[in-house]
Amino acid sequence: MSHAGWSCSRSVTRLFVFGTVLAIGSIVMSKEWVSGIIWPEPAVVDPGPVGGPPSDAIVLFDGKDLSQWQGGDKWLVQDGCATARAGEIHTKALFGDCQLHIEWATPEEVKGSGQGRGNSGVFFGSKYEVQVLDSFENKTYFDGQAGSLYKTKPPLVNACRKPGEWQSYDIIYSAPKFNEHGQLTKPGYFTVLHNGVLIQNHTELLGDTDYEQPPTYHAHGPSPIRLQFHGNPVRFRNIWLRELSEPQPQRPE
Ligand code: MG
């Protein structure tokens, strides 16, 4: 090795030793910050297969029957899916804050246009609709297209698949809170993923999502989940829900 090469190698070795000493020194000197809050241990949840249901989910429709739905006998259950007809259906159980997974498909044979094409909806609380619509190359008012929080906020993007193809919504619903006088103390919020794409990002709910009047809150408690029949044979499958609650930590005095 030449003199220059030997000298370079020694410099690199010195740098390495210096760096190592610095790193060890910083570890010895550092002190972990501790909040003092005692958090409960997060529950273990088996996420299940892709698309769920996770182990802590309430299965609302597994393809066999609509026994958990009031009015479910009106809809056609066939080939693992439920087809809307003859009126809306709603869960027999009541829910507040929750995560809902639902898969839907608008009719493969395209009929109608705008709001008349593959229209249904998933309702929470008093009357809060996450719109279901065939929005594949089908123009309508933006706050009424698929994934809109109806008449409140359009989706961030249009992630709609073609008519007849299965699509998914993953909806996180934070229910509005009311005091004992029925006054709103905290608005509701929706976060929605459409086919895995974020389309509502913690969107504030302004009240009932009516067609004919501006959004207005009406006090309510836990409520059924409702699926709309809007004259179109929209199909549904793989519906499950997880009830959500915030952990209750012990905080330092
Ligand atoms: Mg609708």
Side-chain angles (χ1 to χ4, degrees):
M1 183 182 290
S2 70
H3 178 73
W6 173 248
S7 173
C8 180
S9 172
R10 282 176 61 187
S11 298
V12 168
T13 305
R14 279 181 190 149
L15 261 178
F16 175 75
V17 170
F18 182 65
T20 305
V21 168
L22 260 184
I24 292 172
S26 67
I27 290 169
V28 170
M29 296 288 289
S30 69
K31 189 169 184 305
E32 180 190 4
W33 174 77
V34 179
S35 70
I37 301 170
I38 302 170
W39 293 98
E41 183 176 1
V44 174
V45 173
D46 177 351
V50 174
S55 58
D56 64 345
I58 297 167
V59 176
L60 295 172
F61 179 57
D62 63 0
K64 295 189 181 76
D65 63 69
L66 286 168
S67 57
Q68 301 212 46
W69 298 78
Q70 197 72 44
D73 54 330
K74 292 182 294 194
W75 285 24
L76 174 68
V77 177
Q78 199 173 54
D79 301 327
C81 61
T83 304
R85 63 180 186 184
E88 72 161 39
I89 63 174
H90 65 261
T91 56
K92 294 173 182 173
L94 309 178
F95 302 105
D97 297 353
C98 62
Q99 170 188 353
L100 179 79
H101 175 90
I102 187 164
E103 297 174 18
W104 53 273
T106 57
E108 188 170 0
E109 183 186 353
V110 173
K111 286 182 181 173
S113 62
Q115 294 289 306
R117 185 170 141 184
N119 194 333
S120 183
V122 188
F123 286 79
F124 297 76
S126 173
K127 191 181 178 184
Y128 315 137
E129 181 181 14
V130 177
Q131 174 71 304
V132 168
L133 193 75
D134 178 359
S135 285
F136 186 84
E137 298 177 353
N138 178 37
K139 291 289 185 191
T140 186
Y141 44 93
F142 302 140
D143 56 6
Q145 70 181 70
S148 62
L149 189 51
Y150 190 70
K151 288 284 187 183
T152 300
K153 180 102 183 282
L156 293 169
V157 294
N158 180 352
C160 223
R161 293 201 170 111
K162 291 178 181 174
E165 293 186 10
W166 283 104
Q167 321 204 35
S168 65
Y169 277 165
D170 288 283
I171 302 171
I172 293 93
Y173 165 62
S174 299
K177 308 295 185 291
F178 303 90
N179 64 18
E180 67 271 27
H181 306 295
Q183 296 161 326
L184 182 74
T185 56
K186 188 180 177 189
Y189 293 92
F190 277 95
T191 295
V192 182
L193 290 99
H194 183 186
N195 299 323
V197 178
L198 182 70
I199 57 165
Q200 296 288 351
N201 186 7
H202 198 58
T203 301
E204 183 178 334
L205 180 68
L206 305 176
D208 286 352
T209 59
D210 273 306
Y211 174 70
E212 295 172 311
Q213 46 194 331
T216 309
Y217 272 113
H218 300 94
H220 63 85
S223 310
I225 306 292
R226 292 153 53 200
L227 296 181
Q228 185 184 45
F229 175 62
H230 198 279
N232 305 133
V234 176
R235 294 177 294 153
F236 294 90
R237 71 178 186 188
N238 194 20
I239 309 173
W240 51 261
L241 176 149
R242 297 180 61 246
E243 295 181 297
L244 302 177
S245 59
E246 284 296 311
Q248 299 298 320
Q250 294 175 32
R251 297 185 181 277
E253 297 292 314

